[in-house]
Amino acid sequence: MYGVAYGKLYIAGEYAILEDYSKAILLGVPKKITAIIEQSDTTTIFDTLYNKKVTLDENNKDFHLIQNFIKFIQNYLKSKNSFSLTILNELHGKNSKYGLGSSGAVLVAIAKAMFNFEKITFDDLLIFKLVVLYNIKHNIYSSMGDVAGSLTQGLTYYEKFSHSKLLSLIEKSSSDKEVIESSWHGLIIRKISTNIPIELFAHWTGDSIDTREHIKLWNNNKSSKIDNYLTFIKQSNTLVSELYLTFFTNDANIFLNTINKIRKNLLFLESFSNIPMETAPMKKYIEKFPAGKQSGSGSGDIVLGFKNSGKPFSINLILKELQIN
């Protein structure tokens, strides 16, 4: 039995999506994480990222997240079955990550594999809620957009749930099952199907960025520049809504113009937040296209270029280091 999760790109909505009820558009790419489960007398975990095998209770800092998540899902499923888990990770190069996500996608793939192993039906919303609930219970806080974007290949529209209302729901509920089966205020995850004639070029910059450091800057500077932050968030959500509509009108020109407005808004955020957005090579790469922007936290990882292709939406994922002459 197996489960698959996909690497993700932020097409729109980064940073603002950290706030409740904000909006984002993500793209699940062909690079993926596959979790394979086979019956075994003892539960073991092998991850190609570390090229190492451990048991479920073995003390190894690289596997704590996965070990605890397996126990969390077993408890939810009321299962005591043992198995061998193999994790095939395509989201990292030999010595660095690409910026396509990893930890959230790993948990999505494992949850899908465990449900399949137990022969229990599930949908993407259930998997999303389980991964988010696990993260919150282990004090791991983020937009959870990476989780939403890794559920399926292709485009996804995501609106972030109310964190405070979810915490209240967790406190009032008698079980994880009750939390999962309840409605989460504000949460929307919607698959996008489109024939918009846009070709996306997603190029790895060669620089790997720790998103957590950028999120710290977001949180640390917010109170002192609250008016600017609110302006940025409002504009981001407006532009995500405008971009979302183009996937149904198939208007490539409005799409490209909106991407450029999203880039301008991210550079506005940089101007007052001290969060670095674009390196010099990223700027030069973007200038080669009618529209472009960073994907995610910026200052490295993946840079995006868009053009009108005359053919339905497509992606070129280029995972060799960016070279700008």
Side-chain angles (χ1 to χ4, degrees):
M1 296 296 174
Y2 69 93
V4 175
Y6 298 89
K8 63 89 183 72
L9 296 172
Y10 265 95
I11 304 301
E14 45 268 276
Y15 287 107
I17 197 63
L18 291 164
E19 304 301 317
D20 293 354
Y21 308 118
S22 281
K23 307 171 183 180
I25 295 171
L26 302 108
L27 177 65
V29 302
K31 288 292 182 181
K32 59 188 180 293
I33 290 177
T34 305
I36 302 168
I37 287 181
E38 298 175 307
Q39 195 165 0
S40 175
D41 292 335
T42 305
T43 297
T44 60
I45 308 156
F46 176 79
D47 192 336
T48 57
L49 180 61
Y50 305 110
N51 196 29
K52 188 183 298 183
K53 179 187 281 190
V54 300
T55 63
L56 185 59
D57 294 309
E58 187 174 329
N59 186 14
N60 187 302
K61 63 181 179 62
D62 293 330
F63 287 83
H64 283 169
L65 178 77
I66 293 170
Q67 290 166 321
N68 289 329
F69 184 67
I70 288 171
K71 294 173 184 177
F72 172 77
I73 297 296
Q74 284 179 326
N75 182 64
Y76 181 83
L77 295 174
K78 294 181 170 53
S79 171
K80 295 182 180 179
N81 293 324
S82 299
F83 53 80
S84 65
L85 167 65
T86 301
I87 301 168
L88 308 178
N89 191 325
E90 300 176 3
L91 306 187
H92 287 251
K94 286 186 178 180
N95 300 309
S96 58
K97 68 183 184 71
Y98 293 129
L100 297 171
S102 185
S103 59
V106 167
L107 301 188
V108 167
I110 291 171
K112 289 181 178 181
M114 290 182 68
F115 271 76
N116 284 329
F117 179 68
E118 299 290 343
K119 295 182 172 57
I120 297 174
T121 57
F122 62 90
D123 58 22
D124 286 337
L125 182 60
L126 172 59
I127 299 299
F128 175 85
K129 286 182 170 182
L130 284 167
V131 173
V132 171
L133 182 58
Y134 170 80
N135 280 326
I136 288 175
K137 287 197 163 193
H138 289 80
N139 299 311
I140 302 170
Y141 299 105
S142 76
S143 70
M144 304 299 169
D146 62 324
V147 179
S150 72
L151 292 167
T152 58
Q153 191 171 338
L155 291 158
T156 296
Y157 175 80
Y158 171 59
E159 287 190 21
K160 187 175 181 292
F161 52 88
S162 167
H163 187 81
S164 60
K165 283 185 168 59
L166 180 54
L167 288 179
S168 177
L169 175 63
I170 292 169
E171 290 175 4
K172 294 176 182 176
S173 298
S174 59
S175 67
D176 291 343
K177 189 174 180 63
E178 183 179 346
V179 175
I180 296 298
E181 292 179 350
S182 299
S183 175
W184 290 14
H185 200 269
L187 174 63
I188 297 175
I189 303 173
R190 188 179 296 148
K191 183 78 175 168
I192 302 171
S193 296
T194 185
N195 288 315
I196 191 168
I198 290 292
E199 187 170 11
L200 164 60
F201 294 80
H203 205 130
W204 181 49
T205 62
D207 296 319
S208 298
I209 302 304
D210 187 345
T211 302
R212 292 170 298 182
E213 294 303 315
H214 286 202
I215 292 175
K216 282 181 186 177
L217 288 171
W218 170 273
N219 291 326
N220 291 343
N221 294 324
K222 190 163 57 173
S223 60
S224 62
K225 303 280 181 65
I226 189 62
D227 289 342
N228 284 335
Y229 272 85
L230 292 176
T231 298
F232 166 78
I233 293 165
K234 182 179 179 181
Q235 178 71 343
S236 177
N237 287 326
T238 297
L239 292 171
V240 170
S241 294
E242 291 177 6
L243 193 72
Y244 179 62
L245 286 176
T246 68
F247 291 117
F248 303 96
T249 61
N250 294 327
D251 193 319
N253 289 329
I254 293 178
F255 177 95
L256 295 171
N257 289 335
T258 306
I259 288 291
N260 285 330
K261 290 177 184 177
I262 291 168
R263 180 194 182 199
K264 183 178 179 182
N265 196 41
L266 286 166
L267 295 176
F268 168 65
L269 173 62
E270 179 183 51
S271 72
F272 64 82
S273 68
N274 296 319
I275 303 173
M277 296 295 165
E278 297 174 4
T279 62
M282 290 171 70
K283 289 182 185 295
K284 289 182 179 179
Y285 186 81
I286 291 169
E287 288 166 3
K288 294 165 64 176
F289 296 90
K293 59 182 285 292
Q294 69 204 52
S295 171
S297 58
S299 193
D301 286 341
I302 302 282
V303 60
L304 307 178
F306 301 86
K307 70 176 187 178
N308 188 333
S309 66
K311 296 179 291 186
F313 185 87
S314 62
I315 175 176
N316 300 281
L317 185 61
I318 307 157
L319 298 180
K320 61 181 182 180
E321 186 172 346
L322 179 64
Q323 301 290 336
I324 297 290
N325 297 325

